[in-house]
C-alpha cells in the first residue's frame, strides 16, 4: 500500500514536467489582427507575440547548453531573411539565442535560491534592413526548483529547562528548521521533525517541532541535564529527502520535593563559661537535596532548658543553624544545657506533601566547662561622695569583689593609677576601703572617675575591674569677685546721680540654693564726695556720681574700692577696685578722649616754632647720611698698613711679566725682606675677637724653615680673615726664581732639583694641602714616586 502511493506521486511529478515542457516547445508566434502596424511606407497588419512562460530546471550539470525554448514569427518563411535578438536580464551572459532559428539556451548553471526568474525581451528583425518586422515582446523564464537545500536550524543549538517531576507531555521547547527550496512546488520544503537522541525521556512533534517530556517523575537529584539531537528532513521525510540536525540541552529545574533531614539525631558541644555573650557555640545543618529557594529553611529551639540562654539563627549563605549565647554562662550555677531544635523548609510545594513532613528534629547538648575567672565586683559602678574640706585619710567608701570560682581565692585591691594620675585616693588592699590621699578641690575637679582592680591572690593574672565615681561636695572656700574687668568712664560734664557703671560678681563655689551677693563701698570710701554705690539686690550693683564738674586737669583717674560679700556659711568677702577715668564727652555723653597729658603740654611754643625745630632735625639727618655715604665711597684699605694685601685671585692679562725687575704689579718688599717683624693686621671695620701675639723678628735660619714659617703665617691670616672667601682661590706670593731672597716656589723644577728640603709637614696641615703633600712628600703614596 505504501509503495503504491510513492509510485503515484512520482507519476504526478513526471506528468507535470511533461506538460510544462510541451508548453515551452509550443511557444511560437501566432497572429491576431488587432491593430495596424506601419513600416517603411507600407501598410500592414500588426502581429502580436503570444507567449507561454519558459521553465528551466536549476542546477543543470551537463556540458552542453541547456535548451530553454524557441522563438518563431509567422513572418519567418525559413529563408533566413529574419533574425532574432534577445535582451534583458541575463541576455548574452546566461541566455543566448540562435538568431536564425530562435532557439534559446542557458549557458550557466542556474540556482533558484539566488534568482527565481528572469525577465527578457525578444524581437524579430529584417536581416537586410535591420528593422523590426514585429513589435518587441517581453517574456519570463522561470527557474524550476529541485530539492537541493537541506533544512537548517537557524536558532540552534537550543537550551531549555523543564521542572523536575513534570507529567508526560509537558512542553519543553519548540525547534524550527527552514528549507531554502520552493515551498509552492513539490515537497522540497516540507519538513518533518524526529528525535535521534534523548529517548525515552523526550519526544518531538513531527510537524511542529515541539519537544515534550515522555517519562513521568524525572528526578533532578538523579540526573539534572539531558542532551537531545533533533532531525529535520524535507520531502515529508521520504527516502531521498535532505536532512539537518540540531542539539537541544534540557535542564531539569528544581522543585521542593525533598524534605530537610538532620544527619544525626543528637549533637554535643563543649563551651567554656567565659565565652562572651553573642559568641557562636555551634553550627548545625539539616541536609536538603534541593537547591535555591527550595533548600531555604528556618531553625528554632522548640524545647529544652536553655531557651533563654541560647538562640539559633540561620546563615542565609550556607543554610546552617547558628547557636549563639544570649546570657553569660556560669559553671558554678549550671554545668549543661539540652536543646530540641527543629529545621523546616520555608517554601513547601503542596504537590509533594505526600512525600513526608518537610521538617526534622534533633537534640543538642551543651556542656559548660569551668575556667579560672577573674574576681567579680558586687556592683559594676559605685557612686560615692566626699566633701572638699575632707582631711587626708578620710574614708570615702568601700568596694567589694569575690572570686566566682569554687576555690573562692582571696582578693587584693588596687587603684588603676592611669585613672588617678594625681593620686588623690588610696585603697586598702585587703578591705577595699577608699580614702583620700590629698586635699580635694571641687573647683578643680568636681567628679573623679577611678578604676579599682581586684586580683586573685593565688593567680594575679586574673584581674577584675570595678568603676567608682566620687563626687566632691562643695564648701564656701572662694570669695566673690568682679565678673569681668570693667572699663569705666565718667564725663567731665556728668550730673549728680548719673549711672556710670553696672557691675556684677562671680563665685567659683556652687551653693545648693544658688549665689546671693551683697555690694557696698569700703569704710574709707563710703564718705567720698565723688561716687556712690547702689545694691540692686539681684547680684548686681550700680555706680552713680555724687557731684558734677569733673576735670581731667585736676584728676584724670579715680579708684573706687567695692566690698562684695557672698551668702555662704561662713560667708566670704573680697574688695575689688573699680578704675574710673575722666573723659571729654560729646553732647550724647559718648567719651571722645580720656588723655590728660594733652593739657600738660607747655604753652610757650607755637606751631611755627615746632615746625622749625623739626626742619632743623631733618637737615641734620640729611647731612649725616651724606657724610656716611661719601666715606663709604672712598677706596681705603681695611687694614692699618701701608702694604697692599698680596692675596689676589686669578686675573688674566694676556701679557708677559718683566721678571724680577717688574715691580709694578706687586710690592715685593715684604717678600724680599723676610727677616722683618710681621705685625698682625687688624680690620678697620671689625673689632677683632681673637688677638694674636706679634711674632718676633725672624732670625737667620735655614731657607726651608723661613719658607715654612712664611706659609704658616699666611695660613693663619687666611683662617682668621672674616672676608676670606669660603672657596679655594689662588694665593699669589710673588716669589721669584733663582737669585731671589726667598728662592723659587715653582713646581716645574722643584721636583727635579737636588734640594734636600723635606715637605712631609704638609700632610699635617689638613685636607686643603693634601695635593701639595702628595706632590712634594716623600711617603710611599707620593703621587709621582
Amino acid at each position: 500500500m505504501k509503495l503504491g502511493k510513492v509510485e503515484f506521486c512520482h507519476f504526478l511529478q513526471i506528468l507535470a514536467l511533461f506538460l510544462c515542457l510541451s508548453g515551452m516547445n509550443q511557444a511560437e508566434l501566432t497572429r491576431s489582427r488587432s491593430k495596424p502596424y506601419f513600416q517603411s511606407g507600407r501598410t500592414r497588419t500588426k502581429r502580436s507575440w503570444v507567449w507561454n512562460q519558459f521553465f528551466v530546471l536549476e542546477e543543470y550539470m551537463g556540458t552542453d547548453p541547456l535548451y530553454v525554448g524557441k522563438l518563431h514569427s509567422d513572418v519567418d518563411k525559413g529563408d533566413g531573411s529574419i533574425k532574432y535578438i534577445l535582451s534583458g536580464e541575463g541576455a548574452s551572459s546566461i541566455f543566448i539565442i540562435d538568431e536564425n532559428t530562435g532557439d534559446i539556451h542557458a549557458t550557466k548553471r542556474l540556482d533558484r535560491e539566488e534568482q527565481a526568474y528572469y525577465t527578457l525581451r525578444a524581437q524579430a528583425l529584417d536581416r537586410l534592413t535591420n528593422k523590426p518586422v514585429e513589435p518587441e515582446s517581453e517574456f519570463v523564464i522561470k527557474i524550476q526548483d529541485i530539492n537541493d537545500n537541506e533544512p537548517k536550524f537557524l536558532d540552534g543549538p537550543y537550551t531549555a529547562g523543564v521542572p523536575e517531576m513534570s507529567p508526560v507531555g509537558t512542553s519543553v521547547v519548540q525547534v524550527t528548521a527552514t528549507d531554502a527550496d520552493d515551498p509552492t512546488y513539490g515537497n522540497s520544503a516540507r519538513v518533518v521533525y524526529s528525535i535521534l537522541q534523548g529517548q525515552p525521556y523526550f519526544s518531538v512533534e513531527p510537524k511542529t517541532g515541539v519537544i515534550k517530556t515522555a517519562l513521568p517523575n524525572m528526578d533532578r537529584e538523579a540526573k539534572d541535564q539531558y542532551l537531545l539531537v533533533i532531525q529535520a528532513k524535507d520531502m515529508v521525510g521520504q527516502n531521498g529527502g535532505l536532512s539537518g540536525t540540531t542539539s537541544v540541552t534540557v535542564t531539569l529545574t528544581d522543585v521542593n520535593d525533598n524534605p530537610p533531614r538532620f544527619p544525626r539525631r543528637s549533637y554535643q558541644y563543649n563551651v567554656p563559661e567565659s565565652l562572651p555573650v553573642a559568641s557562636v557555640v555551634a553550627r548545625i545543618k539539616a541536609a536538603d537535596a534541593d537547591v535555591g529557594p527550595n533548600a531555604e529553611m528556618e531553625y528554632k529551639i522548640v524545647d529544652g532548658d536553655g531557651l533563654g540562654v541560647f538562640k539559633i539563627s540561620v546563615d542565609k549563605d550556607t543554610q546552617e543553624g547558628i547557636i549563639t549565647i544570649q546570657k553569660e554562662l556560669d559553671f558554678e550555677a549550671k554545668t549543661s544545657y539540652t536543646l530540641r531544635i527543629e529545621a523546616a523548609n520555608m517554601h513547601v510545594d503542596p504537590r509533594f506533601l505526600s512525600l513526608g513532613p518537610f521538617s526534622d528534629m534533633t537534640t543538642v547538648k551543651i556542656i559548660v566547662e569551668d575556667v579560672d575567672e577573674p574576681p567579680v565586683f558586687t556592683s559594676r559602678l559605685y557612686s560615692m561622695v566626699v566633701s572638699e574640706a575632707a582631711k587626708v585619710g578620710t574614708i570615702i567608701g568601700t568596694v567589694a569583689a569575690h572570686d566566682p570560682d569554687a576555690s573562692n581565692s582571696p582578693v587584693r585591691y588596687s587603684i588603676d593609677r592611669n585613672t588617678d594620675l594625681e593620686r588623690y585616693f588610696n585603697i586598702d588592699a585587703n578591705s577595699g576601703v577608699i580614702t583620700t590621699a590629698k586635699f580635694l578641690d571641687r573647683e578643680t575637679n568636681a567628679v573623679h572617675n577611678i578604676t579599682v582592680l581586684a586580683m586573685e591572690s593565688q593567680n594575679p593574672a586574673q584581674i577584675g575591674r570595678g568603676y567608682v565615681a566620687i563626687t566632691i561636695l562643695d564648701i564656701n572656700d572662694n570669695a566673690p569677685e568682679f565678673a569681668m574687668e570693667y572699663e569705666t568712664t565718667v564725663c567731665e560734664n556728668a550730673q549728680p546721680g548719673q549711672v556710670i557703671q553696672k557691675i556684677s560678681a562671680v563665685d567659683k563655689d556652687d551653693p545648693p540654693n544658688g549665689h546671693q551677693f551683697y555690694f557696698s563701698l569700703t569704710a574709707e570710701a563710703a564718705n567720698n564726695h565723688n561716687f556712690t554705690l547702689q545694691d540692686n539686690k539681684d547680684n548686681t550693683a550700680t555706680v552713680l556720681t555724687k557731684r558734677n564738674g569733673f576735670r581731667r586737669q585736676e584728676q584724670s583717674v579715680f579708684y573706687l574700692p567695692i566690698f562684695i560679700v557672698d551668702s555662704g556659711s561662713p560667708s566670704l568677702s573680697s574688695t575689688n577696685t573699680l578704675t574710673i577715668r575722666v573723659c571729654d564727652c560729646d553732647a550724647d555723653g559718648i567719651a571722645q578722649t580720656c588723655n590728660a597729658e594733652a593739657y600738660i603740654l607747655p604753652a610757650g611754643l607755637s606751631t611755627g616754632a615746632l615746625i622749625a625745630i623739626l626742619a632743623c632735625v631733618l637737615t641734620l639727618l640729611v647731612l649725616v647720611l651724606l657724610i656716611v655715604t661719601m666715606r663709604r665711597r672712598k677706596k681705603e684699605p681695611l687694614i692699618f698698613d701701608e702694604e697692599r694685601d698680596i692675596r689676589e685671585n686669578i686675573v688674566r692679562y694676556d701679557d708677559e711679566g718683566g721678571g724680577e725687575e717688574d715691580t709694578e704689579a706687586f710690592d715685593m718688599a715684604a717678600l724680599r725682606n723676610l727677616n722683618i717683624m710681621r705685625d698682625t693686621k687688624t680690620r678697620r671695620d671689625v673689632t677683632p675677637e681673637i688677638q694674636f701675639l706679634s711674632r718676633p723678628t725672624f732670625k737667620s735660619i735655614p731657607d726651608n724653615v723661613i719658607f715654612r714659617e712664611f706659609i704658616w703665617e699666611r695660613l693663619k691670616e687666611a683662617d682668621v680673615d672674616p672676608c676670606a672667601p669660603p672657596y679655594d682661590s689662588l694665593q699669589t706670593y710673588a716669589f721669584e726664581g733663582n737669585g731671589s731672597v726667598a728662592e723659587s716656589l715653582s713646581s716645574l723644577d722643584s721636583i727635579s732639583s737636588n734640594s734636600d728640603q723635606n715637605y712631609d709637614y704638609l700632610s699635617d696641615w689638613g685636607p686643603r694641602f693634601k695635593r701639595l703633600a702628595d706632590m712634594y712628600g716623600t711617603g710611599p703614596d707620593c703621587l709621582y714616586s
Side-chain angles (χ1 to χ4, degrees):
M1 187 66 176
K2 184 176 181 181
L3 183 60
K5 289 183 179 179
V6 173
E7 292 177 349
F8 179 71
C9 291
H10 288 172
F11 173 74
L12 291 178
Q13 292 178 354
I14 294 172
L15 180 60
L17 181 61
F18 175 77
L19 292 176
C20 291
L21 293 176
S22 298
M24 289 189 296
N25 293 333
Q26 293 177 358
E28 297 179 352
L29 183 64
T30 61
R31 287 180 292 178
S32 62
R33 304 185 184 275
S34 56
K35 293 181 181 179
Y37 175 72
F38 301 95
Q39 182 183 17
S40 302
R42 295 184 300 177
T43 303
R44 59 177 300 176
T45 305
K46 177 183 178 183
R47 293 178 173 87
S48 300
W49 296 84
V50 180
W51 304 96
N52 289 326
Q53 292 181 343
F54 288 152
F55 292 89
V56 60
L57 287 175
E58 66 172 334
E59 305 294 343
Y60 173 69
M61 305 299 294
T63 58
D64 297 331
L66 178 64
Y67 179 75
V68 178
K70 184 180 182 64
L71 297 180
H72 184 71
S73 175
D74 56 0
V75 178
D76 188 2
K77 303 301 183 180
D79 54 2
S81 61
I82 302 298
K83 69 175 181 179
Y84 300 93
I85 62 173
L86 194 64
S87 63
E89 291 180 310
S92 300
S93 60
I94 299 177
F95 301 102
I96 58 175
I97 188 170
D98 189 325
E99 65 178 11
N100 296 321
T101 62
D103 292 333
I104 302 174
H105 291 81
T107 60
K108 294 183 179 180
R109 182 174 63 88
L110 302 176
D111 188 356
R112 189 201 67 84
E113 286 71 38
E114 293 181 1
Q115 189 166 346
Y117 62 90
Y118 296 85
T119 303
L120 295 97
R121 295 178 298 278
Q123 194 169 33
L125 302 177
D126 185 281
R127 187 178 295 276
L128 295 177
T129 64
N130 205 29
K131 293 183 178 181
V133 296
E134 296 288 348
E136 185 180 59
S137 181
E138 186 176 83
F139 66 96
V140 175
I141 299 178
K142 286 191 174 182
I143 310 303
Q144 190 71 40
D145 184 45
I146 64 172
N147 189 19
D148 60 340
N149 291 280
E150 72 278 2
K152 294 182 179 180
F153 293 92
L154 301 181
D155 297 329
Y158 296 83
T159 57
V162 64
E164 63 173 332
M165 311 299 289
S166 296
V168 176
T170 301
S171 177
V172 179
V173 68
Q174 183 178 16
V175 297
T176 302
T178 58
D179 196 316
D181 292 325
D182 190 358
T184 63
Y185 177 75
N187 296 323
S188 299
R190 296 182 62 185
V191 178
V192 174
Y193 300 94
S194 60
I195 183 168
L196 301 182
Q197 178 180 322
Q199 296 173 331
Y201 305 103
F202 299 93
S203 62
V204 63
E205 287 287 341
K207 294 182 179 180
T208 61
V210 176
I211 300 174
K212 299 180 179 180
T213 57
L215 284 181
N217 301 327
M218 285 190 291
D219 191 1
R220 185 198 66 83
E221 288 73 32
K223 185 176 181 180
D224 62 346
Q225 198 172 78
Y226 297 85
L227 180 63
L228 282 60
V229 178
I230 305 298
Q231 182 189 65
K233 190 173 184 180
D234 58 13
M235 298 300 293
V236 202
Q238 297 178 0
N239 292 333
L242 302 178
S243 63
T245 61
T246 188
S247 63
V248 181
T249 302
V250 180
T251 302
L252 297 183
T253 58
D254 186 53
V255 297
N256 192 6
D257 59 338
N258 293 280
R261 292 291 180 264
F262 283 105
R264 296 164 57 183
R265 293 292 90 191
S266 63
Y267 299 85
Q268 179 173 316
Y269 299 97
N270 294 346
V271 296
E273 63 173 334
S274 60
L275 202 64
V277 174
S279 299
V280 177
V281 174
R283 287 175 174 262
I284 60 175
K285 183 178 182 180
D288 192 330
D290 297 321
V291 294
N294 297 317
E296 293 180 359
M297 61 187 74
E298 59 182 354
Y299 297 87
K300 58 182 178 180
I301 301 174
V302 296
D303 195 8
D305 54 1
L307 286 174
V309 181
F310 303 93
K311 71 173 182 179
I312 189 168
S313 58
V314 63
D315 188 330
K316 298 297 183 182
D317 296 328
T318 62
Q319 297 301 316
E320 291 178 310
I322 305 175
I323 303 174
T324 55
I325 300 176
Q326 278 188 302
K327 295 181 179 180
E328 292 183 352
L329 303 178
D330 188 359
F331 173 81
E332 288 72 26
K334 191 173 181 60
T335 59
S336 66
Y337 298 88
T338 301
L339 308 175
R340 288 284 293 168
I341 297 177
E342 179 188 59
N345 277 138
M346 297 181 63
H347 310 286
V348 179
D349 194 334
R351 295 176 299 171
F352 306 105
L353 289 176
S354 59
L355 299 178
F358 281 78
S359 63
D360 196 17
M361 300 281 292
T362 189
T363 301
V364 177
K365 186 174 183 179
I366 299 175
I367 305 299
V368 180
E369 297 178 342
D370 186 24
V371 295
D372 189 5
E373 298 176 273
V376 178
F377 283 87
T378 56
S379 174
R380 293 193 60 85
L381 178 63
Y382 295 87
S383 296
M384 303 178 183
V385 294
V386 62
S387 173
E388 66 175 328
K391 297 181 180 180
V392 175
T394 301
I395 296 177
I396 302 174
T398 304
V399 297
H402 69 281
D403 183 7
D405 298 321
S407 60
N408 195 17
S409 175
V411 175
R412 294 183 61 83
Y413 302 94
S414 63
I415 295 177
D416 185 356
R417 291 305 175 183
N418 290 324
T419 60
D420 184 26
L421 296 176
E422 300 295 332
R423 296 181 176 268
Y424 284 109
F425 307 98
N426 288 329
I427 188 171
D428 187 277
N430 298 316
S431 63
V433 175
I434 299 175
T435 58
T436 59
K438 287 185 178 181
F439 290 104
L440 304 176
D441 185 7
R442 188 204 65 84
E443 288 71 35
T444 303
N445 193 351
V447 178
H448 295 265
N449 294 299
I450 63 174
T451 301
V452 177
L453 307 179
M455 296 177 291
E456 291 185 11
S457 299
Q458 298 178 358
N459 185 7
Q462 295 296 333
I463 301 175
R465 286 174 170 78
Y467 304 97
V468 181
I470 301 175
T471 302
I472 310 300
L473 299 179
D474 186 45
I475 62 172
N476 191 22
D477 58 345
N478 290 277
E481 58 186 10
F482 278 159
M484 58 181 292
E485 289 289 337
Y486 294 101
E487 295 182 359
T488 307
T489 60
V490 60
C491 294
E492 289 183 310
N493 56 357
Q495 300 299 318
Q498 181 176 336
V499 176
I500 61 172
Q501 185 67 59
K502 185 176 183 181
I503 61 174
S504 61
V506 293
D507 192 330
K508 295 180 181 180
D509 295 323
D510 187 17
N513 299 324
H515 291 288
Q516 180 63 47
F517 301 115
Y518 304 96
F519 301 87
S520 63
L521 295 178
T522 60
E524 62 270 17
N527 297 322
N528 77 90
H529 303 289
N530 300 310
F531 305 98
T532 185
L533 181 71
Q534 178 181 335
D535 192 341
N536 298 325
K537 306 301 182 181
D538 59 353
N539 291 339
T540 65
T542 304
V543 180
L544 301 94
T545 59
K546 295 178 67 175
R547 68 179 178 86
N548 58 1
F550 293 93
R551 291 181 59 83
R552 285 179 294 167
Q553 293 84 349
E554 297 177 357
Q555 186 174 350
S556 61
V557 179
F558 293 89
Y559 299 99
L560 185 66
I562 298 177
F563 187 70
I564 308 175
V565 183
D566 63 16
S567 58
S569 179
S571 62
L572 296 179
S573 62
S574 68
T575 300
N576 297 262
T577 301
L578 182 66
T579 302
I580 305 173
R581 298 177 63 85
V582 180
C583 299
D584 180 23
C585 302
D586 58 11
D588 297 327
I590 300 175
Q592 299 298 314
T593 176
C594 300
N595 189 6
E597 285 73 16
Y599 294 91
I600 305 176
L601 290 175
L605 294 177
S606 63
T607 304
L610 292 175
I611 294 176
I613 293 173
L614 291 176
C616 293
V617 172
L618 290 176
T619 303
L620 291 175
L621 290 176
V622 171
L623 291 175
V624 171
L625 291 175
L626 288 175
I627 293 172
V628 172
T629 304
M630 295 298 293
R631 288 176 62 84
R632 287 188 177 181
R633 289 186 178 181
K634 291 182 180 180
K635 298 182 178 179
E636 294 182 358
L638 298 178
I639 302 176
F640 290 103
D641 200 337
E642 295 180 355
E643 300 178 0
R644 295 186 57 187
D645 187 4
I646 59 176
R647 186 192 77 247
E648 300 289 344
N649 292 332
I650 298 177
V651 180
R652 180 175 179 180
Y653 297 100
D654 288 334
D655 58 357
E656 188 173 355
E660 189 176 26
E661 297 180 358
D662 186 4
T663 59
E664 295 181 2
F666 303 99
D667 185 6
M668 301 177 60
L671 295 178
R672 293 182 182 276
N673 301 321
L674 297 178
N675 294 329
I676 64 173
M677 176 71 72
R678 295 184 60 87
D679 296 333
T680 303
K681 310 292 191 304
T682 58
R683 290 286 301 273
R684 279 181 190 270
D685 56 342
V686 179
T687 301
E689 296 180 0
I690 302 176
Q691 298 293 336
F692 291 91
L693 295 176
S694 298
R695 191 166 58 91
T697 305
F698 288 104
K699 297 181 180 180
S700 179
I701 54 179
D703 290 344
N704 59 340
V705 177
I706 295 175
F707 177 75
R708 184 191 316 141
E709 291 293 334
F710 172 77
I711 294 180
W712 177 249
E713 191 69 22
R714 299 299 294 166
L715 174 63
K716 289 193 298 182
E717 291 180 5
D719 287 340
V720 299
D721 186 2
C723 296
Y727 48 83
D728 292 337
S729 62
L730 178 63
Q731 304 296 325
T732 304
Y733 300 107
F735 275 76
E736 278 298 324
N738 293 332
S740 67
V741 178
E743 297 186 354
S744 176
L745 289 178
S746 173
S747 62
L748 297 178
D749 52 8
S750 295
I751 195 163
S752 61
S753 65
N754 296 325
S755 173
D756 57 354
Q757 188 170 343
N758 186 4
Y759 297 102
D760 291 343
Y761 56 84
L762 295 176
S763 301
D764 301 330
W765 288 5
R768 289 189 295 176
F769 294 91
K770 185 177 185 302
R771 172 61 65 181
L772 287 175
D774 292 340
M775 292 175 61
Y776 294 96
T778 59
D781 297 331
C782 182
L783 182 63
Y784 297 100
S785 62

